[in-house]
Amino acid sequence: MRTKIIAGNWKMNKVAAEAIAFARDLKVKTLNIRKTEIIVCPPFTALAIVHDILKDSRAEVGAQNVHFAASGAYTGEISAEMIESAGCRHVIIGHSERRQYFGETNQLVNQKLIHVLTTSLTPIVCIGETLEQRQSGQTENVIRTQLEESLTGLTTDQLKRVVLAYEPVWAIGTGVTATPEQAEEVHKFIRELIRSRFGQKSSDLIQILYGGSVKPDNIRDLLSRTDIDGGLIGGASLNVASFVEMIKITEDLIN
Ligand code: PEP
């Protein structure tokens, strides 16, 4: 049985003092959570301090991006080893904002993924179509290509350590959410692609998160769908009360 994950992507928000206040509050408010996997992804500057506060709690810490090399002359970049040493357990790879504003391609996502899998980090690999691609009937082709190219060279054993996130670009930060039916349709398609390449067991085991304007009002319907294993949440994860509300709704769904 797949566990459910609630992951908060803070993007470029919260200075250290704000991150500390959030983490302390989250720790207290999630004391009764037993089943939901909780992940918070602060900016790099707050990873270590947030981990320090949350280390004895249920919540784990993830980074929002990573470089493909372990070290070297890459000014301004951060490696998986550095993220690990800050106490992180997860890292987001290929978020649509990285693709859109920083030119990240599926090939780069694949390079990053291959390196991250040499560390202890769990990669959360993001895929998703733009509005234009959806409207022109390209959703399945785009998802297929993103998945194939991002997962090139991965073994079945390596795939066991990967979490996928389906994030339709048109739903990210826009307030427009995919309907549970639209999301489930693509999640099912992704699971089928995984089955055809890696086999039934991998397809049954892989956790696929949905992301795109998830909030307390819509999370129950989305996460009730068979193939949706959690949420990767931006805007609504910035406020502790709404983040905790979504965690509690998820916990309730599991029970
Ligand atoms: C995200 O950042 O991955 C995201 C889905 O953002 P939002 O929830 O704000 O749409």
Side-chain angles (χ1 to χ4, degrees):
M1 195 50 211
R2 301 184 298 268
T3 53
K4 293 231 188 279
I5 300 176
I6 293 297
N9 171 19
W10 293 2
K11 312 191 187 198
M12 197 171 71
N13 292 293
K14 295 192 193 295
V15 296
E18 293 166 323
I20 291 168
F22 182 107
R24 287 188 178 142
D25 212 5
L26 180 67
K27 184 173 179 173
V28 174
K29 290 184 166 135
T30 51
L31 285 174
N32 293 328
I33 302 298
R34 299 271 174 269
K35 296 176 179 163
T36 308
E37 288 184 56
I38 307 167
I39 305 170
V40 285
C41 302
F44 289 126
T45 46
L47 290 179
I49 185 67
V50 169
H51 167 256
D52 202 46
I53 296 166
L54 294 177
K55 62 181 181 296
D56 305 319
S57 80
R58 238 197 116 61
E60 291 176 349
V61 182
Q64 301 170 18
N65 182 32
V66 64
H67 193 263
F68 61 79
S71 62
Y74 297 103
T75 302
E77 291 294 323
I78 307 279
S79 71
E81 288 74 2
M82 294 166 185
I83 291 168
E84 238 181 349
S85 76
C88 290
R89 303 280 301 276
H90 308 265
V91 62
I92 299 171
I93 304 180
H95 190 278
S96 68
E97 287 154 13
R98 300 292 320 167
R99 295 174 185 261
Q100 186 180 351
Y101 303 126
F102 303 98
E104 292 198 6
T105 59
N106 295 329
Q107 287 68 29
L108 184 60
V109 169
N110 180 248
Q111 266 185 295
K112 292 181 176 199
L113 177 60
I114 297 287
H115 180 66
V116 162
L117 287 170
T118 68
T119 71
S120 65
L121 296 173
T122 297
I124 302 174
V125 178
C126 302
I127 54 176
E129 81 287 0
T130 63
L131 184 59
E132 204 181 18
Q133 290 164 336
R134 173 163 282 260
Q135 286 175 339
S136 60
Q138 289 302 303
T139 300
E140 293 198 348
N141 280 342
V142 170
I143 297 291
R144 184 185 295 107
T145 305
Q146 286 179 335
L147 209 59
E148 272 171 11
E149 294 183 353
S150 303
L151 304 184
T152 297
L154 251 69
T155 64
T156 304
D157 266 354
Q158 284 175 313
L159 185 81
K160 281 189 194 140
R161 296 187 36 217
V162 175
V163 172
L164 296 175
Y166 167 58
E167 299 207 307
V169 179
W170 48 273
I172 297 181
T174 58
V176 181
T177 320
T179 63
E181 293 72 25
Q182 283 173 319
E184 173 67 3
E185 193 183 6
V186 181
H187 279 238
K188 244 189 206 342
F189 178 67
I190 294 170
R191 221 175 273 293
E192 176 51 30
L193 292 172
I194 294 293
R195 194 197 61 73
S196 65
R197 155 105 192 265
F198 295 96
Q200 187 66 48
K201 194 162 173 215
S202 302
S203 157
D204 289 342
L205 287 177
I206 195 160
Q207 289 165 299
I208 310 173
L209 313 184
Y210 168 77
S213 299
V214 175
K215 41 190 182 268
D217 285 355
N218 58 26
I219 195 164
R220 184 180 292 276
D221 280 352
L222 285 160
L223 269 55
S224 303
R225 302 293 158 142
T226 320
D227 291 295
I228 304 182
D229 304 311
L232 178 55
I233 305 158
S237 76
L238 290 172
N239 173 280
V240 185
S242 86
F243 191 54
V244 170
E245 196 180 338
M246 292 185 284
I247 293 167
K248 288 190 172 157
I249 293 170
T250 306
E251 189 82 353
D252 189 44
L253 278 173
I254 302 171
N255 288 324

